Amino acid sequence: MKKKRVGIVGLGVVGQRLIKEFMANPHTEIDAVCDVNETLANETAAACGGVTALTDYEELVQRSSIDIVYVAVPPAYHHAVVLAAIANGKHVLCEKPLANSLQEAEEMLAKAEQAKVVHAIHFPLPYNAPFATIKERVEKAALGNVRRISLKMHFDVWPRVWQQTPWIGTREQGGFIREIMPHYLQMIVHMFGKVTNVEAQIEFPEDQEKSEIGLITTLTLENGLQVLVDGLVGQAEKEKIAFTIHGTNQTIALEDWRIVKQAQRGEELAIAEPSDLTPSPVNLIDEFVKATDGEQAFLIDFKEGLLVQEVLESLLTSNKTAK
């Protein structure tokens, strides 16, 4: 199998993570990297073995040698870069959320489908054991009747100490609603269906430039199931993220991204033993390469990304209060 050549646009923290995976995968190799920070572009290109370094994404997407473009720029720039890649016939892997507005997301999906390119979003959770475990329990009805889903996102500070990028704390394109919540919205719509109603209260600081500091939301799915969301910034305790599915037979939770907890009826939640977890049978890059070769593949595509974007749009335009 001929290796697929990849162009990377955006070389921040997230982009650097996936660069390592592309380099380690036997089916892909880096062709060029791009960032507005020329020094970062040159350093990354050198680390990738001396590939081409660019500062203009238009130059990258026009390279005939590139098969796949990975878009890892901040959300406000997804739309422009993705459309440029599609216009040049490139397959596109985009960071989440898909776009910075519903209108942008709809256009990105329409253009990708018209161009018949492979399109997917970088949601890492679906390619790991916790997701595979939860999905299997849901599909086999091991949880019994699912009564409710809850999502807790609490942070002592935002942006987090390790994540001090200029945009991630802004109201325009940052905040935990855009940065954290899409991972769990994707799991919800993938396993349980579309969200049909959003009732939310968002708390913002007085600084009009800063992102949200509080969120209380009820999401209603098309099957009637409700999701309770509790988001908070500025409490004393350390960061806590917990996604929990409450069933009549069993409750299962994913805490802090990697820890699976479970409880039978009447029991307390306890960390699942490794033997209780379902290994993931898929790898994102392997699946994307398969799709570019016309094979059946498991990808979270722009259609699913649009379902997530619809919820984000409803949330971000809902009732807002200032602190």
Side-chain angles (χ1 to χ4, degrees):
M1 178 188 297
K2 182 181 177 181
K3 286 188 175 184
K4 305 296 179 181
R5 297 185 63 83
V6 182
I8 315 289
V9 183
L11 306 176
V13 174
V14 176
Q16 297 288 346
R17 288 176 184 167
L18 212 56
I19 282 174
K20 293 181 176 64
E21 295 187 33
F22 279 121
M23 292 180 67
N25 192 288
H27 306 304
T28 56
E29 60 184 357
I30 308 295
D31 179 272
V33 297
C34 176
D35 198 280
V36 293
N37 183 328
E38 186 174 5
T39 299
L40 178 59
N42 288 331
E43 290 175 351
T44 304
C48 291
V51 302
T52 299
L54 300 166
T55 57
D56 184 349
Y57 69 85
E58 290 281 4
E59 290 186 41
L60 183 141
V61 299
Q62 291 170 13
R63 289 174 65 86
S64 60
S65 52
I66 287 178
D67 304 297
I68 298 167
V69 173
Y70 168 46
V71 180
V73 293
Y77 305 101
H78 286 184
H79 178 257
V81 180
V82 167
L83 291 191
I86 292 171
N88 284 276
K90 309 303 183 187
H91 304 296
V92 182
L93 176 62
C94 183
E95 268 304 317
K96 56 83 201 140
L98 178 56
N100 214 43
S101 73
L102 184 58
Q103 182 179 2
E104 288 181 353
E106 289 172 339
E107 184 179 8
M108 290 159 72
L109 171 59
K111 293 290 187 182
E113 290 184 331
Q114 290 168 9
K116 294 182 171 55
V117 298
V118 176
H119 49 91
I121 304 177
H122 179 214
F123 282 112
L125 287 178
Y127 304 91
N128 289 292
F131 181 95
T133 302
I134 294 170
K135 184 178 181 180
E136 182 179 61
R137 303 277 179 93
V138 170
E139 291 178 345
K140 292 185 176 180
L143 306 180
N145 180 27
V146 176
R147 299 280 291 128
R148 186 166 293 164
I149 299 171
S150 61
L151 173 60
K152 177 180 180 178
M153 300 175 290
H154 282 196
F155 309 91
D156 57 337
V157 294
W158 186 274
R160 292 165 287 182
V161 174
W162 57 270
Q163 202 173 26
Q164 299 293 321
T165 52
W167 60 270
I168 208 163
T170 67
R171 197 171 302 190
E172 177 193 11
Q173 58 178 326
F176 64 82
I177 291 176
R178 286 191 178 96
E179 178 67 12
I180 304 299
M181 197 171 176
H183 292 280
Y184 300 96
L185 288 175
Q186 182 275 321
M187 292 179 69
I188 290 166
V189 300
H190 186 87
M191 297 181 193
F192 296 98
K194 186 176 181 179
V195 175
T196 56
N197 187 61
V198 176
E199 296 180 11
Q201 286 191 327
I202 305 177
E203 181 185 5
F204 284 102
E206 291 182 359
D207 187 336
Q208 296 294 312
E209 302 296 321
K210 300 296 184 182
S211 59
E212 70 278 356
I213 57 174
L215 171 68
I216 297 176
T217 298
T218 302
L219 310 176
T220 303
L221 307 186
E222 57 187 354
N223 63 4
L225 185 62
Q226 289 192 311
V227 182
L228 303 183
V229 183
D230 167 20
L232 190 64
V233 174
Q235 82 290 344
E237 70 269 22
K238 70 176 185 178
E239 177 179 322
K240 186 67 178 180
I241 302 174
F243 174 73
T244 308
I245 304 174
H246 307 267
T248 53
N249 294 341
Q250 187 182 104
T251 290
I252 191 164
L254 175 57
E255 297 188 2
D256 300 325
W257 305 103
R258 299 175 181 85
I259 302 170
V260 176
K261 291 186 176 181
Q262 58 188 1
Q264 300 297 328
R265 190 178 182 94
E267 295 180 351
E268 292 186 5
L269 280 171
I271 296 175
E273 296 293 332
S275 58
D276 290 336
L277 302 182
T278 302
S280 176
V282 288
N283 169 277
L284 170 59
I285 295 176
D286 286 345
E287 294 300 298
F288 199 95
V289 169
K290 284 166 57 177
T292 64
D293 285 333
E295 300 178 33
Q296 188 71 27
F298 174 66
L299 292 173
I300 309 304
D301 63 14
F302 285 8
K303 288 181 181 178
E304 199 159 313
L306 181 58
L307 293 178
V308 171
Q309 196 76 43
E310 288 173 351
V311 182
L312 295 179
E313 189 87 356
S314 295
L315 278 171
L316 294 167
T317 58
S318 63
N319 182 35
K320 303 175 178 65
T321 59
K323 187 174 181 181

